[in-house]
Structures are given as structure tokens and as C-alpha cells.
């Protein structure tokens, strides 16, 4: 078991397998192709497997594969199979924009993936084109169906919610939970990346989101979807699915933070909002074995900051220089 300097148990890693993405969501990336890292700087499958072995040795048991868009990494099912076989890794999940999921869901499930979060901010095709700039809503919806059919349960839909972008669709997303066993989570817009999109006026207050999603009743702790992390969960009466709210700014969730992040280039990032990190790729490429790497991981976790600085940042529209795609969300 690994604890940070504030007594929090850290057992969850968000693993970015690429910084590339096939979408350019307005709040996440600039429209002009950002400078992606050279291929030689990305971790190989062997390197990721070795580093996850070291994380497991240090005390991590849950991994979420993310990106960039993880499904654009060639051969992802083979990597999933390797990671799912690492002793100590008990839960392997994926965050995706869903565009390529319909062709991969069954293969990923067979390789050992347990569950999937799909990011989807609108149910309207024309609006999808404006928000995501590339891709098509129909392919994401096909990905959602394929994930349900493959048994990648629970399927969570992550909806970044912003004024003037999609706040008028909160009710429509909430209604989906009455038709299918989906867990819809509304995520507060965060000041990440120099996209020029974030402003305090874009934020939808939690109370407003809850009113638009209702009627809601609280979901008891034992009935929440696995991996519930920072979300607060509710349900429309009689619905199969649940409705969650993730409010990094309105309701600080740092007290219960259980995670660190590994970038696609092998930098351990202790806090979502941090601009520093600890390089693990260098020591790995110089031949460090599992125990020295695990020691570096434990040291980095011990130095994890108590809380993020996004509240102050948000008040002044000052975005973190790292965009979400390089951190993995
Ligand atoms: N491509 C994958 C996906 O779409 O889920 C994984 C990476 S993506 C960066 C992870 C999550 O971060 C997505 O749900 C995305 O909507 C969210 N995200 C990106 N920028 C954000 C921002 N400024 N505020 C809140 N969430 C953001």
C-alpha cells in the first residue's frame, strides 16, 4: 500500500498511452494540430509493461488507460492483454472518445479490459461537429452500443458541461439513464490548456446542473458504480443508470484523491493541475529494474501536493499550460 504525505492511499494510476487525438474538442485542444511529441519519445509497449510492473510493486492496483485518444495507439488490445496479466493489477479500465470503439470493444473485453468511460458532450450531430471539430456523433453512439454489447460494464458517459456549449442538453443526457444502464457524469469545465475556451462565465453551477438533470434521488454508497472516484451519484426514480457530478472547482475533491498519472512519455504527474513531474523513462532506458523504479514512484507519491490550484486559476481565467490531452484527464 502506498500513502502520500497527507495520509491518502494512492492505488490508482491514469496511464496515458499517447498524446495524439483524432478529435480537437474546443475546450481541450487548439484547432491547429498541437505539437505532438516525437514517436521515439513515446513509451513502447515493453516500456509501459515494465513501468506498470513497478507501479504494481509500489502499491497501484487500478489502472485507467487514457490519452490523447488511446484507441489511436496501434495494437492497444495486445497491450491491454499484457497489462491485465501483471500481478497486482486488479482493475483495468479505459477512457475514450468512442469514435473507434465499435470495432474494438469486443477485442478489448477479451483482452482483459473491464469497463469503459466514453466522453460525449452532445447528442446533436451538428453540435458534435462544432465541439469536437472532427469525427461523427454516429460513430460514438455505435461505440456506446458496442461497449454495452461487449459487457464492458458499467459504461459511463462523461459529459463536460459548459454554458453556451451544451448546458441545454443536461436533461436529454439524464433521460438516457432511464432507457439504458448508462452512468452519465457531468464534468465541470476546468481551466486546462491554452485553448482560450475557459472563462468563469462558462461554468455551470452544480445546483443548476442538478436541477436540469432531475428529478434525482441519492444513490447509496453500496449501490454506486465501481471506480466512483470523485463523482457524487444520483438516480432518476426507477432508472437503471445513474447520474454523477464531478466538480473539481465547486466541490474540491482533493481530500479523497487516490491517483497519480503517467504521461505517454513516462513522466509521473502527481497532481492533475501540477506542472511538474518525475521522469521514469530516463531511468528505465538506462536499465533501472522494478525495485529502483518502484522507489522513485513511492518518493514521487510522498511529494504529491495537498490540493490543486485550479480554483484560483479559474477566477482569473489562467489555464494550466498543459492541455488535458497531454495529461490524460
Ligand atoms: N480521449 C479520451 C477521452 O476522450 O476520454 C481520453 C483523454 S481526454 C483528455 C479525458 C477527458 O478529459 C475527457 O472526458 C475530456 O472531455 C476531458 N477534458 C478535456 N479538457 C477538459 C477541460 N478543460 N475541462 C474538463 N474536462 C476536460
Amino acid at each position: 500500500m502506498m500513502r502520500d504525505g497527507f495520509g491518502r492511499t494512492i492505488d490508482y494510476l491514469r496511464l496515458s498511452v499517447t498524446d495524439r487525438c483524432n478529435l480537437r474538442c474546443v475546450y481541450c485542444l487548439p484547432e491547429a494540430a498541437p505539437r505532438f511529441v516525437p514517436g521515439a519519445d513515446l513509451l513502447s509497449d515493453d516500456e509501459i509493461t515494465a513501468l506498470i510492473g513497478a507501479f504494481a510493486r509500489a502499491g497501484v492496483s487500478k489502472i485507467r488507460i487514457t490519452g490523447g485518444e488511446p484507441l489511436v495507439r496501434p495494437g492497444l488490445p495486445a497491450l491491454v492483454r499484457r497489462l491485465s496479466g501483471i500481478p497486482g493489477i486488479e482493475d483495468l479500465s479505459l477512457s475514450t472518445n468512442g469514435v473507434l470503439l465499435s470495432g474494438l470493444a469486443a477485442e478489448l473485453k477479451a483482452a482483459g479490459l473491464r469497463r469503459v468511460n466514453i466522453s460525449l458532450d452532445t447528442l446533436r450531430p451538428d453540435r458534435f461537429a462544432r465541439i469536437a471539430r472532427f469525427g461523427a456523433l454516429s460513430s460514438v453512439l455505435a461505440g456506446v452500443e458496442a461497449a454495452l454489447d461487449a459487457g464492458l460494464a458499467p459504461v459511463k458517459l462523461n459529459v463536460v458541461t459548459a454554458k453556451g456549449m451544451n448546458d441545454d442538453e443536461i436533461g436529454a443526457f439524464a433521460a438516457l439513464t432511464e432507457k439504458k444502464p448508462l452512468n452519465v457524469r457531468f464534468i465541470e469545465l476546468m481551466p486546462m490548456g491554452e485553448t482560450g475556451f475557459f472563462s468563469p462565465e462558462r461554468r455551470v453551477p452544480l445546483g443548476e446542473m442538478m436541477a436540469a438533470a432531475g428529478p434525482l434521488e441519492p444513490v447509496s454508497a453500496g449501490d454506486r458504480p465501481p471506480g466512483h472516484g470523485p463523482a457524487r451519484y444520483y438516480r432518476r426514480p426507477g432508472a437503471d443508470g445513474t447520474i454523477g457530478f464531478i466538480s473539481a472547482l465547486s466541490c474540491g475533491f482533493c481530500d479523497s484523491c487516490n491517483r497519480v498519472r503517467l504521461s505517454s512519455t513516462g513522466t509521473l504527474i502527481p497532481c492533475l493541475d501540477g506542472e511538474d513531474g518525475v521522469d521514469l523513462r530516463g531511468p528505465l532506458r538506462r536499465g533501472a529494474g522494478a525495485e529502483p523504479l518502484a522507489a522513485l514512484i513511492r518518493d514521487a507519491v510522498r511529494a504529491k501536493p495537498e490540493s490543486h490550484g485550479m480554483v484560483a486559476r479559474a477566477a482569473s481565467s489562467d489555464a494550466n499550460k498543459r492541455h488535458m490531452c497531454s495529461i490524460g484527464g
Side-chain angles (χ1 to χ4, degrees), residues 3 13 19 52 84 116 129 133 157 183 198 243 255 258 311:
R3 281 196 197 278
L13 175 74
D19 65 335
I52 297 307
S84 69
V116 68
R133 297 189 178 120
L157 289 191
N183 299 280
F198 183 91
I243 297 171
D255 284 357
N258 60 350
V311 176

Side-chain angles (χ1 to χ4, degrees), residues 245-307:
F245 300 91
I246 301 185
S247 313
L249 301 169
S250 317
C251 321
F253 49 42
C254 302
D255 284 357
S256 56
C257 187
N258 60 350
R259 63 202 58 193
V260 289
R261 295 168 164 81
L262 183 66
S263 78
S264 56
T265 55
T267 300
L268 195 172
I269 302 168
C271 173
L272 171 64
D273 187 41
E275 294 189 348
D276 304 322
V278 174
D279 175 39
L280 298 179
R281 187 191 61 192
L284 175 70
R285 289 190 177 172
R286 289 192 293 277
E291 187 43 44
L293 289 168
L296 284 173
I297 292 165
R298 287 189 204 102
D299 286 349
V301 161
R302 240 173 264 127
K304 181 176 161 71
E306 185 172 16
S307 60

Side-chain angles (χ1 to χ4, degrees), residues 186-207:
F186 297 102
I187 299 180
E188 195 173 28
L189 183 68
M190 294 177 235
M192 302 293 296
E194 291 168 323
T195 59
F197 186 80
F198 183 91
S199 76
E201 295 73 40
R202 290 270 190 200
R203 289 171 57 194
V204 187
L206 180 61

Side-chain angles (χ1 to χ4, degrees), residues 14 21 27-28 66-70 95-97 117-119 121 158 160 187-192 324-325 328-329:
R14 295 182 65 100
C21 190
Y27 53 79
C28 185
T66 175
E69 170 47 38
S95 283
T96 172
N97 59 35
N117 288 6
I118 301 170
S119 304
D121 304 323
N158 285 346
V160 172
I187 299 180
E188 195 173 28
L189 183 68
M190 294 177 235
M192 302 293 296
M324 209 62 124
C325 236

